[in-house]
Amino acid sequence: MSTHLIAICVLALMFVIATALPINMGVIAFVGAFLVGTLVAGMQAKGIMAGFPAELFLTLVGITFLFAQAQNNGTIDWLVRLAVRAVGGRIAAIPWVMFAVTALLTSVGAVSPAAVAIIAPIALGFAAKYHINPLMMGLMVIHGAQGGGFSPISIYGGITNKVVNEAGLPISELTTAFVSLGFNFAVSLLLFFVFGGMKLMRQQVPKAAAGRSDPIGPFGATVAVAAQGPQIYGDAENEAASEERLTRERSSAAVGAIGTPGGAGAGAAAGVALNEGATIQQIVTVAGLVALAVLTLLYKLDIGFVAISIGLLISLMSPQVQKRAIGQVSWPEIMLIVGVSTYVGVMQKMGTITWVGDSVASLTSPLVVALLLLFVGAIVSAFASSTAVLGSLIPLAVPFLQAGTGVDPIGFIAAMAVASTIVDVSPFSTNGALVLASAQHIDRDVFLRQLMIYGGIVTLVAPVVVWLLFVVL
């Protein structure tokens, strides 16, 4: 067996092990990079470490550190309450508020599982209170998170754009971002009407309830609030069980804390405003998030350094929040991403990537190859981590796109972005597991089966649809 085949087989084995066992794929990837690099390719340790993505590491640490502080000081809760109250009691608007808020969070840098973990308990609480289909509400949250996930300053967008730029391929960052947003919005619109949207449009919260100023629910509803304390980050390989347990515990604790006099005092002490106003910390945090978007988009400053700098300014106002936020940095997600990236770096130095591209280019039908790559991305991501798929499959497709096969790189990258992330509705993927964990007011077994069926349909249909729209046409 050639060294290239060994490297590819080891990569496939990583996905199998990480899917079957509760082991972070990044840890497996680091070991794989060491073993393949030294035993197969004859590389030195320094050569292996040269593939470590230092810039991406800093970006992930900076962004997750900043958003951990935004959650701890109550900024995220405050923004969500304002957004929901702004609908003026129109029940049909609630699912779209959840879609928009999660899309906004991921578009400005929040890790997708973090956004879902924050919003899903609130969304499903509203679903139980106002008889909104819980499957539709949960899916709106996930599709919102994935819809905003490819903005130029987002995690997914940063990974994809970095890989493509380093390969020297043409890319339109905004095309990828708007394709992801548009496709997820179209799917959400279909779900809205399939699961009772027309009925919701004829309903409205009673004026007495809509006018109440309830710290738990902006329509006077006793609902689950956004997750407080340590954020839920992670991947499907090693976090699904603990995510479910922690989400339930934190949501219950948050409701209990706000519902008791002692709890209200504790929340206020932590800097979380339980009324309609905002604390100074929350206002500064919102200004910081706006500054992050402006400085990175308009002035092209490094997003990792900017995020950490803004996080430091917020930390000076509340050192205790900063102390907790350091522990809430998305270390499992970061380990996964940088581990896979390091292994891909070893494959690049071995020439495996070029070898795969040359092999694919020899096939008679480039369009069929493109479709197969999209299916691989969707199937693997449905059971593992989308970040791992983006970090490994896009580099494998680069030589194929460079070989003059006639496949448009911009369209293919956009299609791969959608196919590899929209399947996170699967209950075996991170976001699907988080929504399932948040379903406290309904039959969880039924909800699990619904997510499995919908996830299977999306996994089989989405690659074909994006292939037709963005590769063939």
Side-chain angles (χ1 to χ4, degrees):
M1 183 181 293
S2 70
T3 57
H4 302 312
L5 286 177
I6 292 175
I8 294 173
C9 289
V10 171
L11 178 61
L13 183 62
M14 290 179 192
F15 281 110
V16 173
I17 295 175
T19 302
L21 300 176
I23 302 175
N24 187 291
M25 186 175 171
V27 176
I28 303 173
F30 274 122
V31 175
F34 172 66
L35 295 178
V36 172
T38 55
L39 300 180
V40 178
M43 298 170 60
Q44 298 295 321
K46 288 185 178 180
I48 298 173
M49 288 297 295
F52 183 86
E55 180 181 352
L56 183 58
F57 173 80
L58 180 64
T59 297
L60 295 173
V61 171
I63 288 175
T64 54
F65 171 64
L66 176 58
F67 268 85
Q69 294 198 78
Q71 180 180 348
N72 286 339
N73 65 25
T75 301
I76 302 300
D77 282 345
W78 176 60
L79 292 175
V80 170
R81 288 198 301 271
L82 289 180
V84 176
R85 192 175 288 276
V87 305
R90 291 179 289 273
I91 295 178
I94 296 176
W96 292 108
V97 169
M98 301 304 163
F99 177 93
V101 171
T102 48
L104 177 63
L105 290 177
T106 55
S107 69
V108 298
V111 180
S112 180
V116 174
I118 293 167
I119 305 302
I122 298 177
L124 290 174
F126 277 117
K129 175 65 177 179
Y130 295 115
H131 306 291
I132 303 172
N133 187 294
L135 180 62
M136 182 258 283
M137 186 70 96
L139 294 177
M140 293 285 277
V141 172
I142 297 176
H143 285 301
Q146 303 307 85
F150 283 90
S151 79
I153 62 173
S154 68
I155 298 293
Y156 288 160
I159 295 171
T160 303
N161 298 334
K162 180 176 181 294
V163 170
V164 177
N165 284 328
E166 288 181 350
L169 289 173
I171 185 173
S172 172
E173 297 180 356
L174 292 181
T175 296
T176 304
F178 283 117
V179 163
S180 177
L181 179 60
F183 196 86
N184 280 276
F185 176 81
V187 172
S188 297
L189 188 63
L190 178 63
L191 292 172
F192 179 77
F193 288 106
V194 169
F195 292 115
M198 292 297 295
K199 180 180 178 182
L200 293 179
M201 294 174 67
R202 295 190 293 268
Q203 297 179 11
Q204 188 150 347
V205 178
K207 292 183 179 180
R212 290 175 56 185
S213 179
D214 194 320
I216 300 178
F219 295 117
T222 304
V223 297
V225 299
Q228 301 287 342
Q231 297 186 58
I232 301 175
Y233 290 112
D235 51 78
E237 296 94 316
N238 68 338
E239 295 294 326
S242 60
E243 285 170 344
E244 178 175 344
R245 175 177 56 81
L246 290 175
T247 300
R248 289 200 307 266
E249 290 176 356
R250 288 204 306 249
S251 295
S252 300
V255 173
I258 296 177
T260 61
V272 179
L274 297 181
N275 52 32
E276 293 307 306
T279 66
I280 296 298
Q281 291 176 348
Q282 292 167 356
I283 294 174
V284 171
T285 303
V286 171
L289 296 178
V290 174
L292 176 69
V294 172
L295 293 175
T296 54
L297 283 176
L298 298 183
Y299 295 96
K300 307 300 181 182
L301 298 182
D302 182 82
I303 187 172
F305 280 119
V306 172
I308 290 179
S309 300
I310 295 173
L312 175 60
L313 293 176
I314 298 173
S315 300
L316 296 176
M317 302 181 62
S318 181
Q320 290 303 315
V321 172
Q322 177 271 338
K323 185 177 181 180
R324 292 194 301 272
I326 286 292
Q328 296 165 10
V329 169
S330 179
W331 299 117
E333 195 85 5
I334 292 172
M335 175 69 80
L336 186 150
I337 295 170
V338 299
V340 171
S341 296
T342 302
Y343 185 79
V344 171
V346 171
M347 295 179 68
Q348 289 175 329
K349 288 183 177 294
M350 292 174 57
T352 302
I353 304 298
T354 302
W355 178 80
V356 170
D358 293 340
S359 300
V360 171
S362 65
L363 298 178
T364 57
S365 178
L367 290 178
V368 173
V369 173
L371 178 61
L372 291 177
L373 288 174
L374 293 177
F375 265 114
V376 170
I379 294 172
V380 173
S381 183
F383 292 93
S385 171
S386 298
T387 51
V389 172
L390 291 171
S392 57
L393 285 185
I394 291 180
L396 289 177
V398 166
F400 159 70
L401 296 174
Q402 290 176 327
T405 58
V407 175
D408 178 30
I410 295 177
F412 177 81
I413 295 300
M416 177 63 77
V418 173
S420 299
T421 56
I422 198 170
V423 294
D424 276 4
V425 295
S426 163
F428 305 109
S429 193
T430 309
N431 288 343
L434 287 169
V435 169
L436 179 64
S438 303
Q440 301 182 35
H441 308 288
I442 58 177
D443 188 327
R444 296 168 63 84
D445 291 335
V446 173
F447 197 61
L448 172 60
R449 288 195 296 270
Q450 291 173 337
L451 284 176
M452 290 177 61
I453 294 172
Y454 180 75
I457 294 173
V458 170
T459 303
L460 294 176
V461 173
V464 176
V465 174
V466 296
W467 175 73
L468 290 172
L469 291 177
F470 308 115
V471 179
V472 175
L473 299 181

